[in-house]
Amino acid sequence: MCTYLATRQSTYYFRRVVPAELRPFLGNRREWMISLGTKDRETAKRMIPAHTIATNAEIDRATSAMNGAEKPPASPAPPRSKRAEAMEAAMLESSLEAAEIGYQEMNAREERYAEREPLRLRWRRLVRKSTAELTDSEAAARDIIRDLEAELSEAQLRRLEAQTAAAEKRRGLAPPEQRRAPQAETVEGVMLDSTIVCRWAAERKVTEKTRDAHAAVARWFYERAGRLPVNAITRKDVLTFKNKLIAEGQSAANVNTKIARLATLIQWAVDNEYASENSAKGVSVKDIDKARNKRREFDLASLNAIFASPVYAEGARPTQGRGEAAYWLPLLALFTGARLEELGQLRPSDILEIAYPDPEGAQRKAWFIRIKEDHDEGLRLKNAASERDVPVHPELERLGFIKFVEKAKEAKQERLFPLLRANKYGTLTAKWGEWWSGYRRTVCGITDHRLTFHSFRHTYKQYARHSDIPEGVQRQIMGHSAGDVADEYGSGYPLHQVVEGMRRFRVPGLALPV
């Protein structure tokens, strides 16, 4: 990537941030943003060095002013000779030539990198295979890659532990090895919020969001029960934690969630011989509101309110609704039972026409939504059963979903809903989900807190039962785990049964947009 090069609506700009300490000496300017007046990258790159030199000069002057080195001239500067001007021009030309050579070298590196893309794709496939499927050389190379990954994980672990220790030092806490449990006898061991969380997260390869949630529970526990090494935590300490959460007004559901996460960490400590028993096992609060607060499916009146709202009836596209995502995500959820993030991360290439044999052996074709996991592409699923091919319901085709997909393919979009923006944990639909919750309440008038976007998944299940879709086919479409041991055998229901099951799905009385 070329330094200081930026784009706005396809036009290239020179963009450079002003160092914070120099801004008062440059009129409080935060950055230089200078249009290069071209949409051609190569032309723009050749213009960068001159602006770099010019802004360097301004930075030098501001630095001198900040250091008090700049003095007002006692008299006008003497005129420069033609020789001095020629020397300055030659130096500028030399700097530009050097910069151009640097950019040429950078371009050559970029071209070589692009040429290696087929090899990288091949190796991505190879590293997922077992060594029995590889040649000796390929297996050895894969071993090296795995070793490097392990070294990086260990380095990350050490870095996290160092960050934790530094944070504790800032809070005035002694290093873990110098702390003692507040008990009569001395009990040494490792701490939940440093070693245990870090090593548990590294081993289980959990998401950053999951790691942060468990680290937060460890902090909550220590703030309410005292700092104890994991092998010194007793059931009494966990009960103290539980009782303080209840006294603070935490709901039973929240208390149980926190204790469950605490139990997960302590169990990992037990499994790895950092502790002798899981003192949080079996501790919980009876949640008398659990059944009352359980998510439920949308009733017909709520569905009709959603699909008669301005997004569908008037073609409205609220800014936070992120363009066509506001229109298609609820419809896709209703007619697939898929999870929000599964739909939000779809690529145009994930909607494809697949040929399959019918019961008589004749070839048929149907459109499918391929829901899959691909870490290289940033696609993540809840579990292994979540990978599946979901038939496109006839109502979605009637509403123009396939045409919408074809346009996205023609535009070479990376995502079907390119306006969605990931949060810090990489979840594309987190902010969109917040917008939709507000839209549901204030615009659609659906205020029941048990009705969320996930209720579409419950709704699909409810109406799938009413449509006489076989239970196993329902589970396959929705990405649910197998119902019994027998379902573990084979590769699932044949596509003709899944397509037929999807065609049966109906919501009687539902008024969809024209």
Side-chain angles (χ1 to χ4, degrees):
M1 180 179 287
C2 184
T3 305
Y4 306 141
L5 198 60
T7 57
R8 279 185 179 175
Q9 298 180 341
S10 302
T11 298
Y12 283 95
Y13 282 72
F14 172 88
R15 183 181 185 184
R16 185 176 186 181
V17 175
V18 177
E21 68 275 10
L22 298 181
R23 290 172 188 172
F25 302 92
L26 287 168
N28 290 320
R29 177 197 289 270
R30 299 180 63 86
E31 66 178 7
W32 288 280
M33 179 65 85
I34 303 168
S35 174
L36 301 178
T38 180
K39 296 184 178 182
D40 180 67
R41 181 179 175 82
E42 295 304 316
T43 302
K45 283 160 62 174
R46 287 194 291 271
M47 301 169 70
I48 290 294
H51 289 290
T52 302
I53 292 170
T55 52
N56 280 344
E58 290 194 49
I59 286 175
D60 290 343
R61 285 194 292 271
T63 302
S64 297
M66 181 179 68
N67 294 334
E70 188 171 274
K71 301 290 193 298
S75 57
R80 292 183 298 164
S81 66
K82 290 185 177 180
R83 180 180 178 184
E85 291 178 350
M87 288 178 64
E88 183 176 337
M91 290 174 64
L92 177 59
E93 184 176 354
S94 176
S95 299
L96 291 172
E97 288 177 357
E100 182 63 26
I101 291 171
Y103 285 124
Q104 290 173 0
E105 292 176 351
M106 181 187 68
N107 288 337
R109 287 195 300 272
E110 290 177 349
E111 289 173 3
R112 291 195 296 271
Y113 179 84
E115 289 170 358
R116 293 194 297 270
E117 179 61 17
L119 288 174
R120 286 194 295 277
L121 291 174
R122 175 176 176 268
W123 273 102
R124 287 192 185 104
R125 291 192 293 268
L126 288 177
V127 295
R128 295 187 179 95
K129 294 183 177 181
S130 69
T131 53
E133 301 176 84
L134 305 176
T135 66
D136 289 344
S137 297
E138 290 169 346
R142 200 194 74 162
D143 291 341
I144 293 172
I145 292 170
R146 295 285 170 85
D147 290 344
L148 290 172
E149 287 178 345
E151 291 174 12
L152 288 172
S153 295
E154 187 62 29
Q156 182 184 29
L157 173 61
R158 289 195 296 270
R159 185 166 60 253
L160 287 170
E161 290 177 337
Q163 291 171 351
T164 301
E168 291 178 343
K169 185 177 180 181
R170 287 195 297 271
R171 296 200 301 267
L173 297 172
E177 63 273 10
Q178 296 178 13
R179 293 183 217 135
R180 295 293 182 269
Q183 299 177 358
E185 72 264 22
T186 299
V187 181
E188 295 185 353
V190 295
M191 308 303 288
L192 275 176
D193 58 350
S194 53
T195 303
I196 300 302
V197 167
C198 293
R199 294 189 177 175
W200 166 79
E203 179 185 303
R204 300 294 171 84
K205 293 181 169 55
V206 300
T207 64
E208 185 182 358
K209 182 178 181 180
T210 300
R211 180 179 65 79
D212 287 353
H214 285 72
V217 165
R219 289 195 300 272
W220 275 61
F221 175 77
Y222 281 150
E223 288 167 0
R224 289 155 181 80
R227 288 195 64 81
L228 299 166
V230 67
N231 64 345
I233 297 173
T234 66
R235 190 174 185 82
K236 183 177 180 180
D237 298 318
V238 177
L239 292 173
T240 297
F241 177 50
K242 181 193 79 169
N243 292 333
K244 288 193 175 182
L245 291 175
I246 294 171
E248 292 167 10
Q250 292 276 326
S251 69
N254 284 341
V255 173
N256 286 335
T257 297
K258 288 178 173 62
I259 294 175
R261 288 171 178 163
L262 179 66
T264 296
L265 294 175
I266 298 177
Q267 186 59 50
W268 187 90
V270 172
D271 295 342
N272 290 272
E273 299 185 352
Y274 289 105
S276 59
E277 63 177 350
N278 188 346
S279 49
K281 186 175 182 179
V283 177
S284 65
V285 179
K286 185 173 179 58
D287 190 352
I288 59 175
D289 295 324
K290 184 175 181 179
R292 187 163 59 242
N293 291 327
K294 184 179 179 181
R295 284 184 187 138
R296 54 182 289 260
E297 71 278 1
F298 289 111
D299 57 21
L300 184 61
S302 297
L303 289 174
N304 281 327
I306 292 168
F307 295 114
S309 68
V311 165
Y312 299 96
E314 303 169 12
R317 294 296 182 267
T319 301
Q320 297 304 313
R322 300 299 180 185
E324 295 307 305
Y327 181 91
W328 285 113
L329 287 179
L331 283 169
L332 288 168
L334 174 63
F335 285 104
T336 65
R339 302 172 181 92
L340 176 56
E341 184 68 5
E342 290 176 342
L343 298 171
Q345 67 186 11
L346 286 174
R347 303 163 300 185
S349 59
D350 293 325
I351 290 78
L352 63 165
E353 199 171 22
I354 299 177
Y356 61 91
D358 66 14
E360 285 72 41
Q363 286 295 305
R364 306 290 183 188
K365 282 186 177 182
W367 285 97
F368 287 81
I369 299 170
R370 177 157 289 171
I371 297 174
K372 62 180 292 187
E373 189 163 63
D374 187 338
H375 290 289
D376 292 337
E377 296 288 336
L379 308 181
R380 297 176 297 180
L381 298 180
K382 184 176 181 180
N383 51 50
S386 298
E387 287 204 344
R388 62 204 187 274
D389 288 335
V390 180
V392 175
H393 193 278
E395 278 296 295
L396 292 175
E397 291 196 48
R398 181 187 70 80
L399 290 168
F401 180 63
I402 301 303
K403 292 180 180 179
F404 169 69
V405 171
E406 294 297 339
K407 287 183 179 180
K409 290 179 179 178
E410 290 172 8
K412 301 187 184 309
Q413 293 175 196
E414 290 185 7
R415 303 277 182 179
L416 200 54
F417 304 109
L419 298 182
L420 295 178
R421 295 291 179 266
N423 66 1
K424 67 176 183 176
Y425 296 117
T427 304
L428 281 169
T429 55
K431 287 294 183 183
W432 187 93
E434 293 175 9
W435 165 79
W436 194 84
S437 293
Y439 182 82
R440 167 183 56 79
R441 289 192 308 272
T442 59
V443 179
C444 303
I446 303 170
T447 57
D448 189 336
H449 70 278
R450 296 170 297 177
L451 295 173
T452 67
F453 191 90
H454 198 76
S455 294
F456 282 117
R457 190 162 167 81
H458 293 260
T459 304
Y460 182 88
K461 184 69 175 179
Q462 180 74 359
Y463 283 101
R465 292 192 186 105
H466 293 176
S467 302
D468 293 327
I469 301 173
E471 180 66 28
V473 173
Q474 294 177 36
R475 287 199 298 268
Q476 187 164 321
I477 289 173
M478 298 183 70
H480 277 147
S481 300
D484 53 43
V485 174
D487 288 338
E488 298 286 351
Y489 292 87
S491 55
Y493 286 81
L495 291 184
H496 74 85
Q497 286 187 269
V498 182
V499 171
E500 181 56 32
M502 181 62 85
R503 286 174 179 164
R504 290 184 188 179
F505 181 82
R506 295 285 185 277
V507 181
L510 177 62
L512 287 174
V514 177

